[in-house]
Amino acid sequence: MLTSRTFLKRTRAGAVMKVVREHYLREDIACGAAACEQCGQQPGEPRLEAQPSGAASSLCPAPHYLLPDTNVLLHQVPTPPIPPPSSLRIHRETYIEQEQGETSNDRNDKAIRVAAKWYDEHLKKINNKEIIQVILLTNDRNNKEKAVEEGLTAYTCEEYIKSLIANPDLVDRLACVSDEGKEIESGRIIFPEHLPLSKLQQGIKSGIYFQGTFRANRDNYLEATVWVYGDAEENKEIIIQGLKNLNRAVHEDLVAVELLAKDQWVAPSSVVLQDEGQNEDDDENEEEKENTLKSSVNKNMLRPSGRVVGIIKRNWRPFCGMLSKSQIKEARRHLFTPADRRIPRIRIETRQASTLEGQRIIVAIDGWPRNSRYPNGHFVKNLGTAGDKETETEVLLLEHDVPHQAFSQAVLSFLPKMPWSITEEDMKFREDLRYLCVCSVDPPGCTDIDDALHCRELENGNLEVGVHIADVSHFIRPGNALDQESAKRGTTVYLCEKRIDMVPELLSSNLCSLRSNVDRFAFSCIWEMNHNAEILKTRFTKSVINSKASLTYAEAQMRIDSASMQDDITTSLRGLNKLAKVLKKRRIDNGALTLSSPEVRFHIDSETHDPIDLQTKELKETNSLVEEFMLLANVSVAKKIHEEFSEYALLRKHPAPPPSNYDILVKAAKSKNLEIKTDSAKALADTLDKAESPDFPYLNTLLRILATRCMMQAVYFCSGMDNDFHHYGLASPIYTHFTSPIRRYADIIVHRLLAVAIEADSTYPELTDKHKLADLCKNLNYRHKMAQYAQRASVAFHTQLFFKNKGVVNEEAYILFVRKNAIVVLIPKYGLEGTVFFEEKDKPKPNLNYNDEVPSLTVENTTFYTFDKVKVNIMLDASNVQHQKIRMALVEPKVRHRLYNAKQHIIQLS
């Protein structure tokens, strides 16, 4: 039986749209009860297991099922099941129509009671020794009263959870659902009221309010920014300062902001303020801190400022951190301190405070009343002891939203059955390139080998060069569970001791990995070149290759440099190396940038798995060899897919930085009597090449590190949704990612586009939907950014482990940045960077004089300039388990004065 409802709905554009909702009313839907033999339950369908007799609940010792209402599901279940958007199949006996004048909420409550009654009566018919009871869980007082009147057993969620004798700790995990009418119990209001969504939308439409993403300041809990997107000329960043103006917004919330009058505008603060969880009534302390933000502000530094008037969309997630146990004996209310300093402390109620102290835990926010200094939340999960390597790795993965759960059976079911081999049927659609002398060059220990290369001389005297990329798209077909999981993950994440794969290991380290001496599917980009590395012909083909060697960068370099080795692999590598040098020179001549960023490598103890050595990575000529041909393949493929799919190509661009980004670089170079030009990438590249000092060979590296900090983030985009394709850093008019499909989902999409372009595969609807492609790019950009942050956090944690048992280490450092009250230093030996502060809590303040133009900082009688060499002592400060620090003491030059001890500088690794 089919019922349908039709109604008209007006769209945002003003058009009238007809909406039809269909419900299929059936009698053959099984109840799902394991004990029921009446319903025709299909084999393999999930079964409902009743709570056994005498177990757990003191309210209901008999076997029973729980039927939660909608609000209990939404507020008390971490991930409630979401029904599919298609037409619903409903049992005829439990379907009810909405009556005239009845609200949707009342109709839904009634439907849940009808379903509970149906289950209750249906289960009584089961021929079983024990009757299975049905309990309705609802926190709605009216719904509960009506359920009891109708003869149903109903409890609030709290009543039922408290009745579970064997699990008293579950009470801690109840979400704190506040009653809006009772939130101002104390009569003391701290925050302004949030405006309702309807008023916010009207205000945004009329231009009174601005909509944007709230970004809390990591170093100052009383400051945030809201970036408002509009037309090119209307993009603006609004500063929010002060507790009342922040008005309970949390990092990444979508908020509505009202712009303050110009005489109330403020400047970005250079003060570091951490919330120490003070008493809620300590208003004087809060006001004192807010006053420090406004002191000695240069009028030229004032920026548009505002206040949060409402929340459009909360972006709350479960937060990792530690419990700050209350000093009050037997207290149940405690503050939770998140690991992310941008998140406010959260008040939770727990009876397990003694057990949870010193543990990393997960807490969820439930709400933030106007009379509360902090949001209310509840305990979710204990992750383990703080400082433990496994626990800290789990924390950094969760905090950076890296999907890292084991691949589900649904995903694994789409993997090839083992043993796997290439069939004759496979060979009909591929070019057999197993005769070529192909080899791969990768870091030591690499098992997910994406790419391999070959170079050989042709009979006409030209050279044939091939880049062969793992054909991952052959194994991952569009739309299946494996494809969806890969798209969600977006990228493989490389931590110091762990790799979080984008695809299951059978593919990443075996069937897709281009290991030596095994046949593998590849997607090949093959050029015919002259000896000046000029491309004469380009072709793309699906292929089968057999790599003749899996080399490390060092092994490949040894072959190239060896006078005695003349085999085919070595000859191929030498040919590639010669061409790579020509390609690189041409790129640089065209304006491509050669920047620098210190990368570190840890040597891990095989037994303890602790880092025993820390070194910056040494790059060899062969690193550049591989890079040049990967860049060339990516450019060639970008051109091809854009030719074929001008609206649907997935490309990658690198926007040019705004001129103001370069201020710090230009000023730093000027302080060393060097000129850096930034009007184009070519000008920047040329002046960086000339910026050298015979007495200071490391200066050029420091300048390139600083130039890297001035750059914008490269992003994926859909060609039909953007006009600017240019890649600034590579000086290329068009670019994409093709060469790493094992570890980047973007490359899989590019492979599919290229396969359709050369008629090696068929298309599918999502591949030519630019809006869906744009949404995919948004996720890929987010996942890529989070992966970078997670990798940096892993390096920071392992750096702390390295210094844990080192005692005091004395090293040379260079000043990268000069701040108003600090210097940021880089230690080349360890690639370690940190901030040395010259002001300290509870210590006399030294005389500081900051010069923004030079830039320089004078502390008493000692002046520090950018790129100055200093000496520092390094040691680990583990006094705060939540945020362990690297402590630095300035050794040279010495800052001498009577009241200040320079050995107390502290840096916080971010």
Side-chain angles (χ1 to χ4, degrees), residues 410-424:
V411 169
L412 298 176
S413 69
F414 287 96
L415 293 175
K417 301 294 179 281
M418 297 300 285
W420 175 86
S421 62
I422 296 173
T423 65
E424 288 184 18

Side-chain angles (χ1 to χ4, degrees), residues 111 114 121 149 208 221 298 351 399 564 836:
V114 168
E121 291 173 356
E149 286 172 10
I208 299 171
Y221 77 99
N298 184 336
R351 310 174 188 196
E399 280 298 291
S564 61
V836 179

Side-chain angles (χ1 to χ4, degrees), residues 655-718:
S660 59
N661 277 31
Y662 287 122
D663 286 352
I664 187 72
L665 174 67
V666 171
K667 288 178 181 178
K670 191 176 180 181
S671 71
K672 298 297 177 188
N673 298 315
L674 296 169
E675 184 184 18
I676 298 292
K677 294 181 179 177
T678 60
D679 43 319
S680 69
K682 172 71 173 162
L684 176 61
D686 288 347
T687 50
L688 279 174
D689 285 342
K690 295 172 185 173
E692 292 185 342
S693 169
D695 304 326
F696 190 180
Y698 197 65
L699 176 62
N700 191 261
T701 302
L702 288 169
L703 284 165
R704 291 181 192 276
I705 290 170
L706 214 54
T708 305
R709 309 295 170 88
C710 303
M711 295 296 125
M712 304 291 282
Q713 183 77 39
V715 292
Y716 296 110
F717 69 101
C718 172

Side-chain angles (χ1 to χ4, degrees), residues 598-616:
E599 291 187 63
V600 298
R601 180 183 297 281
F602 293 94
H603 294 272
I604 306 294
D605 187 288
S606 58
E607 292 184 8
T608 65
H609 298 285
D610 286 337
I612 53 176
D613 197 10
L614 172 59
Q615 297 173 341
T616 51

